[in-house]
């Protein structure tokens, strides 16, 4: 039913086994281990671009995480409206939440296909006849896989062949444990380190989204524990796939994250240089057609206050002394002694206090 998955996986494995079998020999377990590892690298290489898109999508989500918090706080009592506003915000920023799950979803068919292809090497036909082929592998390829041993253990064996996972024979094979358990532990550690390294990039997003925080805990602790427990049901070849897959993921994350961080830093430096180049130099006249630089708020307030002071000083010169509120004061009434001095002069044109020639001196 899933031959559309099994045949491509089998073909990639067959190609790499031919390459390394030419160097180490077809029946050598090293050739099979390297073929499985490079099958993993081939699948991850195909998914490299979706992984980069996933990282960029995560970066955008971190950038508008404060806006998500505002929406969650504003519509805390209306979950439906909150979901609508969050989807609207994601569309405005060009972020697809499902894009972060795409690489993981694409790995699932490869894992299922490899699990079945490796187990199918040891599944005998129902009529009891010898197995002659396994998808792209002929009978020589099937015999080569069955007889390939790593430290005395066949790479197709598992600690327990669970029928649920496609295993046959059942029972516990404790002779496989010395090889399988170290691989299980290493695979579990690399799974934790990979999830931990990815979670460090999503700290801001996780603080604003409880679902993201819960998924981080699952990937950091539950998944590694699951690999450690259920690894007993995986054949040696599948444990090699899991180990190489997580090792590749950890290395790829470090390289891609470093590259994206450098790009973001370069964009910031370029934007700063652009702003500095557009700003006029001190004392230089603006170029024709260049818009004047916007005056900062403190300088604008200072110039406005200076204008107010100048206008008030001018009003003081033209008008009489005003009150502190700049209202013109009413002229004061002259006192009794001053009233006589301000009387109009006599008809002779002399002041009242001036003695005339015909007036006797008292």
């Amino acid at each position: 039913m899933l031959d559309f998955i099994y045949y491509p996986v089998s073909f990639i494995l067959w190609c790499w086994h031919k390459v390394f079998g030419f160097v180490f020999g077809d029946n050598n377990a090293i050739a099979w281990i390297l073929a499985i590892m490079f099958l993993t690298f081939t699948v991850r290489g195909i998914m490299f671009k979706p992984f980069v898109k996933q990282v960029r999508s995560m970066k955008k989500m971190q950038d508008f995480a404060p806006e998500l918090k505002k929406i969650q706080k504003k519509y805390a009592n209306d979950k439906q409206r909150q979901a609508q506003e969050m989807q609207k915000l994601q569309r405005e920023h060009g972020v697809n939440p499902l894009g972060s799950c795409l690489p993981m979803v694409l790995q699932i068919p490869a894992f299922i296909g490899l699990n079945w292809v490796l187990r199918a090497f040891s599944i005998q036909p129902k009529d009891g006849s010898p197995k002659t082929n396994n998808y792209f592998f002929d009978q020589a390829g099937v015999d080569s896989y069955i007889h390939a041993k790593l430290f005395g253990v066949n790479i197709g064996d598992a600690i327990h062949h669970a029928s649920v996972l496609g295993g046959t024979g059942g029972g516990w094979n404790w002779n496989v444990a010395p090889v399988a358990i170290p691989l299980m532990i290493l695979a579990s550690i690399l799974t934790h380190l990979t999830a931990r390294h990815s979670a460090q990039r999503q700290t801001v997003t996780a603080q604003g989204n409880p679902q993201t925080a819960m998924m981080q805990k699952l990937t950091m602790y539950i998944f590694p524990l699951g690999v450690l427990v259920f690894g007993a049901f995986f054949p040696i070849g599948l444990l090699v796939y899991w180990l190489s897959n997580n090792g590749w993921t950890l290395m790829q994350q470090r390289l891609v994250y470093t590259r994206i961080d450098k790009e973001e830093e370069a964009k910031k430096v370029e934007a700063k240089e652009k702003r500095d180049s557009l700003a006029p130099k001190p004392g230089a006249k603006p170029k024709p057609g260049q818009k004047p630089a916007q005056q900062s708020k403190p300088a604008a307030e200072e110039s406005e206050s200076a204008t107010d002071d100048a206008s008030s000083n001018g009003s003081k010169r033209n008008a009489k002394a005003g009150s502190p509120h700049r209202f013109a004061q009413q002229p004061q009434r002259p006192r009794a002694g001053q009233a006589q001095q301000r009387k109009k002069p006599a008809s002779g044109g002399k002041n009242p206090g001036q003695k005339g020639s015909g007036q006797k001196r008292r």
Side-chain angles (χ1 to χ4, degrees):
M1 184 174 64
L2 296 177
D3 288 348
F4 69 94
I5 297 177
Y6 302 149
Y7 272 101
V9 171
S10 176
F11 175 72
I12 297 173
L13 183 63
W14 178 83
C15 291
W16 285 116
H17 177 255
K18 286 295 183 182
V19 172
F20 293 108
F22 179 78
V23 178
F24 299 99
D26 290 340
N27 298 332
N28 195 323
I30 300 298
W32 283 102
I33 294 296
L34 290 175
I36 293 172
M37 292 178 64
F38 275 81
L39 164 66
T40 308
F41 301 156
T42 303
V43 174
R44 294 310 305 270
I46 294 173
M47 295 186 298
F48 180 76
K49 285 188 176 180
F51 176 78
V52 174
K53 290 183 179 179
Q54 173 197 5
V55 176
R56 295 188 185 279
S57 177
M58 290 166 49
K59 182 67 173 62
K60 288 183 179 179
M61 291 183 68
Q62 289 180 0
D63 292 339
F64 66 84
E67 299 180 25
L68 286 176
K69 289 182 180 179
K70 292 180 181 179
I71 292 175
Q72 291 172 353
K73 186 177 180 180
K74 184 177 181 180
Y75 303 103
N77 299 326
D78 190 353
K79 298 298 181 181
Q80 184 177 1
R81 182 65 183 279
Q82 182 184 117
Q84 293 176 355
E85 293 296 329
M86 291 176 68
Q87 291 175 0
K88 181 180 178 181
L89 185 64
Q90 290 167 355
R91 286 195 301 268
E92 290 176 355
H93 287 79
V95 175
N96 184 8
L98 299 178
S100 59
C101 304
L102 184 60
M104 185 178 295
V105 172
L106 292 177
Q107 290 181 58
I108 294 175
F111 178 80
I112 295 174
L114 183 61
N115 175 57
W116 177 254
V117 170
L118 294 180
R119 292 186 185 277
F121 278 110
S122 57
I123 297 177
Q124 299 297 327
K126 294 181 179 179
D127 57 0
S129 60
K131 192 174 184 64
T132 58
N133 67 322
N134 183 22
Y135 299 101
F136 269 93
F137 291 94
D138 55 8
Q139 186 173 4
V142 173
D143 295 337
S144 173
Y145 181 82
I146 292 175
H147 295 96
K149 295 183 180 296
L150 181 66
F151 301 109
V153 177
N154 191 290
I155 60 176
D157 285 340
I159 296 178
H160 190 282
H161 291 280
S163 58
V164 178
L165 298 175
T168 57
W172 294 92
N173 302 318
W174 294 111
N175 62 315
V176 183
V179 179
I181 289 178
L183 292 176
M184 291 160 53
I185 294 173
L186 286 175
S188 178
I189 292 173
L190 280 177
T191 303
H192 172 75
L193 292 177
T194 302
R196 188 183 186 90
H197 187 259
S198 178
Q200 291 176 353
R201 305 281 299 190
Q202 305 178 27
T203 305
V204 179
T205 308
Q207 292 176 355
N209 193 345
Q211 295 179 353
T212 305
M214 184 179 66
M215 284 299 299
Q216 285 183 2
K217 292 180 180 179
L218 285 175
T219 55
M220 287 175 61
Y221 301 105
I222 305 300
F223 287 178
L225 183 61
V227 174
L228 189 62
V229 173
F230 292 100
F233 304 101
F234 296 157
I236 300 297
L238 200 60
L239 288 174
V240 171
Y241 167 81
W242 195 273
L243 186 64
S244 57
N245 181 62
N246 283 280
W248 173 279
T249 304
L250 184 61
M251 178 191 67
Q252 183 177 258
Q253 282 181 353
R254 290 184 177 276
L255 292 176
V256 173
Y257 289 164
T258 303
R259 178 182 175 183
I260 290 179
D261 289 342
K262 289 182 179 180
E263 289 179 358
E264 294 293 329
E265 188 66 25
K267 287 180 181 178
K268 292 180 181 178
V269 173
E270 184 180 358
K272 185 178 181 300
E273 291 178 352
K274 188 176 181 180
R275 289 195 304 267
D276 294 343
S277 62
L278 293 176
K281 296 181 179 180
K285 295 182 179 180
K287 297 179 181 179
Q290 183 179 3
K291 295 182 178 180
Q294 294 183 355
Q295 196 174 13
S296 59
K297 187 174 181 180
E301 292 178 353
E302 184 178 355
S303 62
E304 183 178 356
S305 62
T307 305
D308 293 342
D309 293 341
S311 61
S312 63
N313 291 334
S315 62
K316 286 180 181 179
R317 295 190 190 98
N318 298 330
K320 296 182 179 180
S323 65
H325 301 285
R326 298 180 183 176
F327 292 108
Q329 294 182 355
Q330 297 294 332
Q332 296 180 358
R333 296 181 178 180
R335 296 180 183 178
Q338 296 177 351
Q340 297 177 357
Q341 297 178 359
R342 294 184 178 180
K343 288 181 179 181
K344 293 182 180 181
S347 57
K350 295 181 181 180
N351 292 334
Q354 188 178 5
K355 294 180 181 182
S357 57
Q359 194 176 17
K360 291 182 180 180
R361 188 179 295 179
R362 292 180 183 178

